[in-house]
């Protein structure tokens, strides 16, 4: 049974949804990033969504752009980012780890090599922000070969054709976009109607997880009520990292407070 | 670190050999597929073509002249022809495809236009087309480009466009594209992203080529009429690649016609300060296409450099990568200094001030002209005029004069 299956089963038994924080690997630097990720695990993250910093993140708003910028400024590379995941795995071998990347970093050496390195580092899933279903075959094949779950995104107002395809292809979990646009807390997610959750269930999709704009406890509550299996919360957490990056103790404290507040509403 | 993995899925449209595709967030796929079908239906729609051709003729000034240089090459050397896209309304070839895309936007019921711009020529073309069709227009432009192309910023604003300077990254065209894509990912329902070159995700490389190929179609007919024969060599500058693909396409089947694209070598190919993507870049994915890209050893996108803002772009249209791989077109480079020399030479000898972008193509033509005999015919796409570059070129001159004065110890 995969790490994702275990955690989603466990959440289901406990009648709660999974809380999945996102941070950028190496933000603001490799050392502090490892502490941040350890704190997230300690504070009750059910799974992790981690980004590899990329110079041109077109799907991200200002907060996550700046986060990638800090990591790159400090010399973080895809290799050192994956190295950081290895260190996380030494601390915790159970938590599902998802990667969020841009296509150029995946194809740069070879697609095969990238997935091989991910597997070696202890990654469970890969989501490529700029590879839609129509271009995904070669990536899905490499993922499958290396036993990595390829995650796909279901955008708002998707046609039935896209929904069926996403349900069929997404592994580990299914990423449901809460709204159009780029990542960020500038506008609230619109919780999709229960219809979509039902349709995904009919198509035997991987557990639906809500992302984009999830920043407040009420979003978590709404996601649970609508039948989601989890939420991904990125920009709100990255903003805490940005604000307290020069005071590690305060940063850990703030992350702890934020996670416990959000998790309360996941119950 | 070239890899040979073919990314192309056989049933997918939007590829030139292995290159191209639609590498965008899932969210934007419906908007691009909508554009693809609007484009395909418009191509065979008589009414659409009639309206476009009338606007190109009566508003934009097509056909543009084909002019044979009188003084640029010595008497015994070859003959040099210029396709005068600099005379097109708006000051560059950009207007051709913008007028078409605005009609497509209206066909799709979009009520707002966004665009990116480098030198400002595409921004100016978009602004004029939006003024003509009464569509609100937002243009993203790198902050560095805004500074070096001030007159074009003002032109856009005069025509009612809102120009948003982009400070992220290098503050040039690449960052302007990023911002435009971010805007589009929340506005696609009512907004058309009017991309300015034959790059980006499918269908843009094909769409922009089809609406720019009027350049080569006219030039081919004009040279046949003037000379009764085809040129030996056709040259065009390549940034994203729209004026080059527009010039090349109707010559592709004329196997004896040599096609040459000219990239900016900036301060020199070995300095790292250039924009010669086809010569120095590696395969990768940026702005929606699998193409050649300037990137570091980790896959992070590098900042390009060129004296000409319009060529200052670290990616290139995928069809050029295909033509290069197939050997049908060859791509060479010209430095800032060589381009500036050609800029001055054309002004002095023919009374034509070219855009710095087009001066790159001209500079390479002048290089090979000396090796050719009197029967040889070169055709250069003079894609834009140099008005926008005057302040910048003049400032370089002032700097040079000061440097010279210092050296001479005055």
């Amino acid at each position: 049974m995969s790490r994702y299956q275990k955690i989603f089963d466990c959440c289901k038994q406990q009648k709660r949804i999974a809380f999945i924080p996102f941070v950028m690997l190496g933000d603001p630097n490799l050392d502090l990033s490892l502490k941040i990720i350890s704190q997230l695990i300690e504070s009750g993250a059910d799974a992790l969504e981690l980004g590899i910093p990329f110079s041109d993140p077109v799907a991200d708003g200002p907060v996550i752009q700046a986060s990638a910028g800090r990591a790159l400024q400090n010399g973080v590379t895809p290799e050192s980012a994956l190295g950081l995941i290895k260190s996380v795995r030494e601390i915790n071998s159970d938590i599902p780890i998802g990667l969020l990347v841009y296509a150029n970093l995946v194809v740069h050496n070879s697609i095969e090599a990238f997935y091989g390195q991910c597997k070696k580092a202890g990654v469970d899933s890969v989501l490529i922000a700029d590879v839609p279903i129509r271009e995904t075959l070669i990536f899905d094949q490499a993922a499958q070969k290396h036993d990595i779950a390829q995650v796909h995104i279901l955008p708002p107002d998707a046609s039935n054709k896209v929904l069926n395809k996403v349900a069929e292809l997404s592994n580990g979990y299914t990423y449901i976009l809460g709204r159009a646009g780029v990542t960020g807390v500038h506008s609230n997610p619109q919780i999709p109607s229960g219809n979509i959750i039902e349709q995904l269930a009919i198509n035997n999709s991987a557990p639906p997880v809500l992302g984009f704009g999830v920043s407040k406890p009420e979003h978590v509550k709404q996601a649970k009520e609508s039948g989601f299996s989890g939420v991904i919360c990125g920009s709100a957490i990255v903003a805490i990292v940005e604000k307290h990056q020069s005071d590690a103790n305060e940063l850990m404290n703030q992350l702890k407070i934020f996670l416990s507040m959000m998790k309360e509403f996941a119950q | 670190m070239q890899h040979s993995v073919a990314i192309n899925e056989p049933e997918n449209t939007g590829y030139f050999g292995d290159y191209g595709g639609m590498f965008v967030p899932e969210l934007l796929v419906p908007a691009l597929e909508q554009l693809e079908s609007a484009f395909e239906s418009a191509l065979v729609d008589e009414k659409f073509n009639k309206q476009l051709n009338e606007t190109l003729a009566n508003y934009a000034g097509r056909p543009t002249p084909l002019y044979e240089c009188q003084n640029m090459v010595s008497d015994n050397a070859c003959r040099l022809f210029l396709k005068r896209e600099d005379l097109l309304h708006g000051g560059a070839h950009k207007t051709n495809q913008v007028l078409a895309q605005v009609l497509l936007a209206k066909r799709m019921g979009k009520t707002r236009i966004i665009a990116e711009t480098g030198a400002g020529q595409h921004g100016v073309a978009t602004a004029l087309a939006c003024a003509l069709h009464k569509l609100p227009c937002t243009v993203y432009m790198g902050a560095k480009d805004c500074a070096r192309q001030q007159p074009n910023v003002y032109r856009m604003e005069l025509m009612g466009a809102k120009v948003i300077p982009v400070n992220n990254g290098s503050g040039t065209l690449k960052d302007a594209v990023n911002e435009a894509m971010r805007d589009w990912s929340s506005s696609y329902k009512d907004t058309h992203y009017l991309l300015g070159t034959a790059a980006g995700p499918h269908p843009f490389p094909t769409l922009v080529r089809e609406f720019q190929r009027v350049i080569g179609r006219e030039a081919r007919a004009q040279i046949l009429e003037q000379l009764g024969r085809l040129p030996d060599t056709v040259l065009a500058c390549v940034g994203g690649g729209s004026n080059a693909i527009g010039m090349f396409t109707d010559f592709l089947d004329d196997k004896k016609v040599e096609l040459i694209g000219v990239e900016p070598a900036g301060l020199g190919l070995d300095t790292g300060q250039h924009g010669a993507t086809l010569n120095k870049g590696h395969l990768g994915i940026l702005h929606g296409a699998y193409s050649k890209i300037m990137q570091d050893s980790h896959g992070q996108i590098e900042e390009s450099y060129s004296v000409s803002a319009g060529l200052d772009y670290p990616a290139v249209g995928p069809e050029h990568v295909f033509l290069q791989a197939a050997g049908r077109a060859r791509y060479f480079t010209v430095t800032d200094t060589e381009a500036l020399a050609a800029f001055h030479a054309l002004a002095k000898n023919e009374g034509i001030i070219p855009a710095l972008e087009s001066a790159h193509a001209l500079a390479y033509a002048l290089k090979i002209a000396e090796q050719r005999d009197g029967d040889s015919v070169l055709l250069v796409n003079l894609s834009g005029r140099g008005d926008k570059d005057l302040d910048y070129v003049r400032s370089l001159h002032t700097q040079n004069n000061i440097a010279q004065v210092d050296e001479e110890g005055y």
Side-chain angles (χ1 to χ4, degrees):
Chain A
M1 193 189 266
S2 79
R3 292 187 181 106
Y4 277 114
Q5 272 172 307
K6 273 187 206 159
I7 196 72
F8 285 121
D9 283 355
C10 166
C11 284
K12 206 171 179 183
Q13 276 175 11
Q14 297 174 3
K15 295 196 167 29
R16 63 188 182 90
I17 63 172
F19 183 78
I20 308 175
F22 166 91
V23 287
M24 189 67 69
L25 288 158
D27 172 26
N29 56 57
L30 288 170
D31 288 345
L32 193 49
S33 186
L34 180 59
K35 287 194 186 119
I36 289 166
I37 295 166
S38 310
Q39 182 65 56
L40 294 173
I41 297 172
E42 207 174 289
S43 302
D46 295 300
L48 296 166
E49 191 71 7
L50 303 172
I52 298 184
F54 180 55
S55 54
D56 292 76
V58 292
D60 286 305
V63 171
I64 294 180
Q65 283 176 50
S67 171
R70 284 190 295 275
L72 290 172
Q73 199 85 52
N74 285 316
V76 175
T77 63
E79 290 75 23
S80 64
L82 287 175
L84 187 55
I85 292 183
K86 272 187 196 160
S87 310
V88 174
R89 269 284 167 251
E90 282 163 21
I91 301 167
N92 186 308
S93 55
D94 299 326
I95 194 162
I97 296 179
L99 259 192
L100 211 161
V101 289
Y102 284 88
N104 196 49
L105 299 180
V106 179
V107 302
H108 181 62
N109 286 321
S110 83
I111 298 173
E112 277 281 320
F114 180 83
Y115 282 93
Q117 285 157 6
C118 285
K119 188 69 199 172
K120 246 170 113 181
V123 169
D124 296 288
S125 73
V126 168
L127 170 53
I128 312 175
D130 49 353
V131 173
I133 293 285
R134 59 180 273 153
E135 303 287 356
T136 202
L137 182 62
I138 191 167
F139 298 91
D140 285 0
Q141 285 168 346
Q144 209 166 19
K145 188 170 164 192
H146 292 278
D147 190 27
I148 297 271
Q150 188 77 10
V151 174
H152 291 286
I153 285 192
L154 183 68
D157 310 319
S159 66
N160 276 340
K161 197 179 134 208
V162 171
L163 186 141
N164 294 344
K165 208 73 185 146
V166 169
E168 177 196 332
L169 293 178
S170 197
N171 283 307
Y173 67 92
T174 309
Y175 196 124
I176 316 294
L177 275 197
R179 55 160 173 73
V182 293
T183 58
V185 299
H186 47 278
S187 61
N188 291 331
Q190 292 138 19
I191 314 295
S193 67
N195 246 343
I196 284 179
I197 305 287
E198 266 171 45
Q199 256 182 292
L200 285 167
I202 291 168
N203 284 284
N204 286 320
S205 83
V209 170
L210 181 70
F212 269 45
V214 176
S215 57
K216 293 181 183 137
E218 67 245 38
H219 302 152
V220 182
K221 192 166 168 245
Q222 286 161 358
K224 182 170 188 286
E225 284 164 1
S226 302
F228 281 91
S229 305
V231 290
I232 292 178
C233 174
S235 294
I237 290 173
V238 173
I240 295 173
V241 174
E242 181 172 16
K243 192 171 172 194
H244 300 286
Q245 55 180 307
S246 53
D247 182 347
N249 288 337
E250 185 57 19
L251 172 54
M252 299 309 149
N253 195 28
Q254 290 296 330
L255 289 174
K256 203 163 139 186
I257 293 169
F258 184 76
L259 257 73
S260 89
M261 175 179 79
M262 296 293 269
K263 284 216 50 158
E264 206 185 304
F265 288 82
Q267 304 297 327
Chain B
M1 224 175 304
Q2 219 95 330
H3 54 92
S4 56
V5 181
I7 293 210
N8 185 4
E9 293 179 36
E11 70 274 21
N12 263 12
T13 52
Y15 277 87
F16 307 91
D18 288 340
Y19 316 108
M22 194 190 280
F23 291 91
V24 295
E26 196 72 58
L27 186 67
L28 286 175
V29 170
L32 289 164
E33 289 181 344
Q34 180 192 20
L35 178 60
E36 181 186 34
S37 75
F39 162 61
E40 281 169 359
S41 73
L43 272 188
V44 293
D45 178 348
E46 231 169 86
K47 208 175 129 212
F48 175 91
N49 285 302
K50 187 163 175 272
Q51 193 182 0
L52 176 60
N53 289 334
E54 275 174 12
T55 313
L56 285 173
N58 304 328
Y59 178 74
R62 294 217 77 87
T64 58
L66 181 75
Y67 167 73
E68 180 171 11
C69 289
Q70 304 297 305
N71 310 308
M72 282 299 280
V73 283
S74 55
D75 286 346
N76 300 327
C78 63
R79 304 175 73 173
L80 177 61
F81 287 78
L82 304 178
K83 178 59 175 165
R84 297 289 309 275
E85 292 299 295
D86 61 313
L87 293 175
L88 195 69
H89 178 46
H93 72 290
K94 296 287 185 187
T95 305
N96 294 325
Q97 71 99 6
V98 166
L99 290 173
Q101 276 202 54
V102 167
L103 289 180
L104 285 180
K106 287 172 83 172
R107 197 179 173 88
M108 294 185 292
K110 309 273 169 158
T111 55
R112 172 179 173 256
I113 301 289
I114 56 172
E116 83 296 335
T117 195
Q121 290 304 106
H122 175 58
V124 165
T126 305
L128 69 83
C130 287
L132 181 66
H133 289 279
K134 299 197 171 305
L135 288 166
C137 169
T138 299
V139 178
Y140 291 95
M141 186 170 184
K144 189 174 142 196
D145 289 339
C146 287
R148 58 180 169 173
Q149 306 286 346
Q150 266 301 316
N152 271 347
V153 175
Y154 190 54
R155 277 188 190 102
M156 287 183 260
E157 288 171 349
L158 278 177
M159 294 185 284
K162 186 174 161 196
V163 181
I164 301 184
V166 178
N167 282 301
N168 303 353
S170 51
T172 59
L173 181 53
K174 145 182 110 83
D175 309 288
V177 177
N178 289 344
E179 261 339 276
M181 286 183 80
R182 287 178 188 127
D183 180 319
W184 204 33
S185 64
S186 62
S187 63
Y188 57 87
K189 276 188 186 157
D190 64 358
T191 297
H192 175 58
Y193 177 18
L194 207 159
L195 200 130
T197 190
H202 177 69
F204 285 112
T206 303
L207 182 157
V208 173
R209 178 197 67 205
E210 285 307 303
F211 292 125
Q212 287 293 5
R213 66 188 287 183
V214 63
I215 304 171
R217 189 183 306 137
E218 278 178 15
R220 191 175 180 281
Q222 286 166 320
I223 205 150
L224 282 174
E225 196 189 314
Q226 289 182 28
L227 286 186
R229 57 163 288 199
L230 290 171
D232 295 292
T233 305
V234 174
L235 301 102
C237 63
V238 180
S242 71
N243 91 79
I245 208 72
M247 185 58 144
F248 291 172
T249 300
D250 272 41
F251 289 103
L252 284 176
D253 291 336
D254 302 320
K255 298 292 181 212
K256 282 191 176 159
V257 176
E258 180 187 27
L259 303 175
I260 292 182
V262 184
E263 294 196 299
L267 300 180
L269 281 187
D270 300 329
T271 62
Q273 300 286 305
H274 61 77
T277 314
L278 287 158
N279 279 280
K280 288 285 185 179
H282 298 283
L283 290 171
I285 293 171
L286 179 69
H287 297 153
Y290 181 64
S291 183
K292 277 193 176 175
I293 295 165
M294 289 175 58
Q295 51 187 319
D296 70 12
S297 59
H298 303 292
Q300 307 293 351
I301 310 307
E302 286 182 318
E303 293 177 13
S304 56
Y305 164 81
S306 169
V307 67
S308 97
L311 302 182
D312 195 347
Y313 184 54
V316 66
E319 192 169 4
H320 286 294
V321 183
F322 172 71
L323 292 175
Q324 183 186 39
R328 180 62 190 95
R330 290 187 299 157
Y331 298 85
F332 299 99
T333 65
V334 151
T335 64
D336 283 0
T337 313
E338 291 167 321
L340 281 162
F343 174 94
H344 286 289
L346 193 67
K348 278 241 165 64
N349 292 309
E350 306 286 343
I352 298 170
I353 301 172
L356 283 174
E357 291 77 13
S358 324
H360 282 74
L362 181 65
Y364 197 79
L366 295 177
K367 257 190 198 180
I368 60 174
E370 298 309 320
Q371 303 146 18
R372 300 286 174 95
D373 60 30
D375 294 332
S376 186
V377 175
L378 305 185
L379 167 60
V380 171
N381 189 13
L382 202 73
S383 54
R385 64 174 181 238
D387 304 35
K388 66 182 177 62
D389 297 312
L390 295 186
D391 283 352
Y392 191 67
V393 173
R394 188 161 55 187
S395 77
L396 290 179
H397 257 249
T398 316
Q399 282 167 22
N400 283 346
N401 288 343
I402 292 167
Q404 227 167 9
V405 169
D406 284 350
E407 266 170 40
E408 289 164 18
Y410 291 104

